[in-house]
Amino acid sequence: MPSESPTDLYLAIDCGSTKTSAVLCSPSGTILARARTGRSNFAYLGLDAFLKSICEVASSVLTTALRPPRAITLPVDLTTYVDAAGASTPPYNLRAAWLGGAGVDSPSIISQLRPHISALFSVPVERLTVSNDIHLLAAPLRIFPDVQTAIAVVAGTGSIVASFRGGPVDAPLEELARVGGWGWILGDEGSGFDVGRTAVRALLSQQDTGVVVTHGSLREKILKKFGVVDVMDLLAAVYAPDSTNSLPRESRLSSLCPLVFEAALMDSDPLAVEVVRDCAHKLARQILAVLISPSDQQDHPRKARASSSVLCLGGSLGGIEDYREIVLSFLKENGHVFKHVEIVSDAAEVGARALAAAWKGR
């Protein structure tokens, strides 16, 4: 066992559409172990497969932290410390757990899951939080004592913005408002998909308006990506049936995102720079929708003030400094400066640390 391995542990699991991540930490917030398995979107898997997935990742992270002679198989009887396979485990106390899951979107689903997860983890229901995965992204609200609200922003392949208010430690964060999260057909403004779509539209618009462009970094990269020589051939490449392409339509566009940023940030291509700025502003406008106007002296039941909030940025685009600065500058120009800005690269890690901070001394 690790030299600092404590009796008390805190567990957070981020259940996503592509992967499942689990993190264990000590009461001091020290990360003790991590584990990762495949996808665990509840909406896609259903109850049994979902529980199997989180059982695997939780068993794995406990095994890594506690280093027993044999891998741990949940559940563990905490009176005898014998697991489901009949093997003895080192003594431990999982004081609290937080599971944030994609597809966990309604009170009825949460009510369905809580007793199963409580039994699986041997954690009392009152010390178990089950929520949508974006709630986990807002976990810094539990860490910073000088803020009242959090704005969680996912800017990855897709996008969504949600605002939260803190509350009792044994209750989930209170969601105030949500913007987006509608998927690539209806939304995802400011996301990686949107960057790719906006770039292709920009090239097509140049062609439509008769702008003569014989070369350009963005143009060359996108034409090469699709294996075409003329901008108008992009239409056929983008709309080709999924059965004829190795990538579905939405992935064809989102796969262009790294090329757009490369053209903008490394090659200083003017059109790519414009595309990146346009998409960053679209993301910022979604954040504006959940904020109280600086000129409004009255509080709003479903909106937050940036000055007393932490902005929690997740997703691949949220981690790009240049993109992030465009978003923050747009918000500042509109009178919104956040008390704290947190880049959340690992929602499970920040969730585990938030649990340790919230339950300290309780």
Side-chain angles (χ1 to χ4, degrees), residues 326-342:
I326 298 172
V327 172
L328 293 175
S329 295
F330 185 90
L331 293 171
K332 185 176 182 180
E333 290 169 5
N334 284 271
H336 300 284
V337 177
F338 284 88
K339 186 78 172 180
H340 302 283
V341 177
E342 283 289 297

Side-chain angles (χ1 to χ4, degrees), residues 223-306:
L223 292 180
K224 182 179 179 181
K225 173 72 175 179
F226 283 114
V228 297
V229 295
D230 188 271
V231 168
M232 297 309 294
D233 290 332
L234 291 173
L235 289 170
V238 169
Y239 284 110
D242 289 351
S243 60
T244 66
N245 197 292
S246 60
L247 290 176
R249 290 186 179 96
E250 66 272 23
S251 297
R252 291 172 218 166
L253 290 170
S254 61
S255 69
L256 300 177
C257 183
L259 302 180
V260 179
F261 275 94
E262 184 180 301
L265 304 183
M266 298 180 65
D267 303 336
S268 299
D269 181 280
L271 188 60
V273 170
E274 183 181 333
V275 167
V276 169
R277 184 182 297 111
D278 179 29
C279 292
H281 287 176
K282 283 186 278 186
L283 183 65
R285 290 188 188 98
Q286 292 190 92
I287 299 172
L288 285 178
V290 302
L291 296 176
I292 299 173
S293 171
S295 62
D296 191 347
Q297 300 303 311
Q298 298 294 320
D299 288 334
H300 191 286
R302 297 196 61 199
K303 292 190 176 185
R305 293 191 184 279

Side-chain angles (χ1 to χ4, degrees), residues 13-30:
I13 303 180
D14 182 16
C15 304
S17 297
T18 58
K19 67 181 185 300
T20 306
S21 300
V23 170
L24 270 177
C25 80
S26 70
S28 66
T30 300

Side-chain angles (χ1 to χ4, degrees), residues 28-43:
S28 66
T30 300
I31 302 303
L32 301 176
R34 304 173 188 271
R36 179 176 291 188
T37 57
R39 69 173 187 166
S40 57
N41 186 315
F42 180 81

